[in-house]
Amino acid sequence: MKLQRMNRRALTLGALAVSGALALTACGSDDNGGSSSSTSSSAANASSANCGTAKKGQQLLADGSSAQKNAIDAWVKAFSQACGVQINYKGGGSGAGVTSFNQGQLAFAGSDSALKPEEVTASKQVCTGGQGIDLPMVGGPIALGYNVPGVDNLVLDAPTLAKIFDSKITKWNDAAIKKLNPSATLPDLKIQAFHRSDESGTTDNFTKYLIATTAANWKYSGGKAWQAKGGQSAAGSAGVAQQVKATSGAIGYFELSYVGDGVKAVSIDTGASAPVAPSTDSATKDIADAKVVGTGSDLSLKLNYNTKADGAYPITLVTYEIVCDKGNKADTLPATKAFLTYIASEEGQKVLSTIDYAPIPDAIITKVRSTIASIS
C-alpha cells in the first residue's frame, strides 16, 4: 500500500512539475481580484506577471506544520521550476513556524492551528500596519496509524482512544477494544502510544477532538504541547510515523499520507451507521461543515469534531498559511503572493487529493483567493 502511494506521489510530483510549469507560464497580475470566477481562472494559470515580479533566484524561507509538508513539497516543485524562486519550507512543526514568523524570520508560516490572540498581538510587531492572518489551504484527516501484527482492520472510538493515549488502556486485547472489534484476533501485546515531542497543531487538533467528544475521559486543556502522561514521543509527523512503523504494538497520530508500509489506519466509530476510515473524501465531508470564525481578513475555521454524519471522518485538521494582511516585507511580497495565489488556485488545489490531502471546499477557498489578492 505504501509502495503504491509512494509511486503515485512520485508520478504526481513529476506530472505536477510539468503541468505546473506550463500553467504557471501563463500567470496574471497581482491585481487579479474581483469575482471568484476570474480569480479562480487567473490563479489556476498562475500568471507570468506574478512570476515576473518575483525575482528569479530569490529564496523564501518558511517553516511550520509538518502535516502539510508533503503538499508544500509538491507545490514548491512546480512553482520553483516555473518561476525560478527557491522556497525552503522546513516543516519543523506549527509552534516553531508561528514563533519564527512572529520574530520576522519567515516569508510565511504553516500552522495546523489558527493564531491565538496573543500570537496575533505579537505579529503586529512584524506586520507593519497590519497583523498575521490565517489562510486555510490544506485539509486532511489525522490518521491513527497502528502496527499490530495480525490485525488488518481496527475500529476505535473516542473514549477508547482517550484511554489509550492517557495510559489507561495498556494492552491490545483489552475488553474495550475487543468490544469494538468482535471478529478480530487481538494479541496480548503492550500498547506503545506515540505522541509529538514538538509543539504541534496536529496535537492541538487531535486533543480538540478528544475534548469535544469524550471530555470525561480526557481531562487535559489541550493545545500544541502534549499534556497526557506516559507514552513515547517523536518529532514531527514523519518521526511519529517512523516510530509506529518500527515498533510492534504501536499507535500514533499523523497526517494520512504517512500511513502505509507496515502502518495501517484506524476506522473511527462516531455513532454513524458504520465506522469511518480516514480518506480525502471523508475529511472533505467534515471540512465542508466548518464555519469561518475569523474576523476581517482572517479566515480561521471552527471544525465539527463531534460529527455523526455517515461517511464523515471526525479527526480532521485544516492547515493554514500565515502571512501579514498588511506590512509584508517588500522584497519577498511578490514571490510570497505569487506562491500563495498558485497553491490556492484550482490547479494547486487539485494536487491535494492525489497525495492523500483534502482540497479546501469551494465556498472557503474562494474567500482565500480574494484575501490573497488584497495582501500588501
Side-chain angles (χ1 to χ4, degrees), residues 51 54-59 78-87:
C51 296
K55 301 173 186 176
K56 287 194 175 183
Q58 186 174 32
Q59 295 187 11
F79 182 80
S80 295
Q81 182 174 329
C83 295
V85 175
Q86 298 179 37
I87 301 174

Side-chain angles (χ1 to χ4, degrees), residues 286-335:
D286 188 53
I287 295 170
D289 196 31
K291 308 297 182 186
V292 175
V293 293
T295 58
S297 299
D298 186 84
L299 296 175
S300 56
L301 303 176
K302 182 177 181 180
L303 298 170
N304 182 10
Y305 297 104
N306 211 16
T307 182
K308 291 179 175 55
D310 284 346
Y313 185 79
I315 318 176
T316 301
L317 63 78
V318 168
T319 151
Y320 302 91
E321 311 313 327
I322 295 170
V323 291
C324 302
D325 57 355
K326 298 177 182 177
N328 290 281
K329 294 179 181 179
D331 60 333
T332 57
L333 176 60

Side-chain angles (χ1 to χ4, degrees), residues 203-363:
T203 294
D204 190 18
N205 281 274
F206 177 48
T207 55
K208 280 179 178 176
Y209 161 74
L210 296 176
I211 292 167
T213 55
T214 185
N217 294 298
W218 194 258
K219 300 294 188 179
Y220 306 98
S221 60
K224 293 177 184 176
W226 185 257
Q227 297 172 325
K229 298 177 176 62
Q232 302 179 63
S233 64
S237 292
V240 174
Q242 184 178 16
Q243 290 299 321
V244 172
K245 176 184 175 182
T247 307
S248 180
I251 185 171
Y253 57 91
F254 34 76
E255 177 268 323
L256 181 61
S257 67
Y258 292 98
V259 171
D261 193 18
V263 178
K264 301 178 180 67
V266 171
S267 293
I268 304 299
D269 183 346
T270 64
S273 62
V276 185
S279 70
T280 57
D281 288 342
S282 62
T284 297
K285 286 183 180 179
D286 188 53
I287 295 170
D289 196 31
K291 308 297 182 186
V292 175
V293 293
T295 58
S297 299
D298 186 84
L299 296 175
S300 56
L301 303 176
K302 182 177 181 180
L303 298 170
N304 182 10
Y305 297 104
N306 211 16
T307 182
K308 291 179 175 55
D310 284 346
Y313 185 79
I315 318 176
T316 301
L317 63 78
V318 168
T319 151
Y320 302 91
E321 311 313 327
I322 295 170
V323 291
C324 302
D325 57 355
K326 298 177 182 177
N328 290 281
K329 294 179 181 179
D331 60 333
T332 57
L333 176 60
T336 301
K337 197 167 181 177
F339 180 66
L340 294 177
T341 297
Y342 166 60
I343 69 178
S345 73
E346 183 179 352
E347 182 77 16
Q349 288 289 300
K350 279 182 178 178
V351 173
L352 295 177
S353 59
T354 70
I355 50 176
D356 296 316
Y357 291 94
I360 301 299
D362 288 344

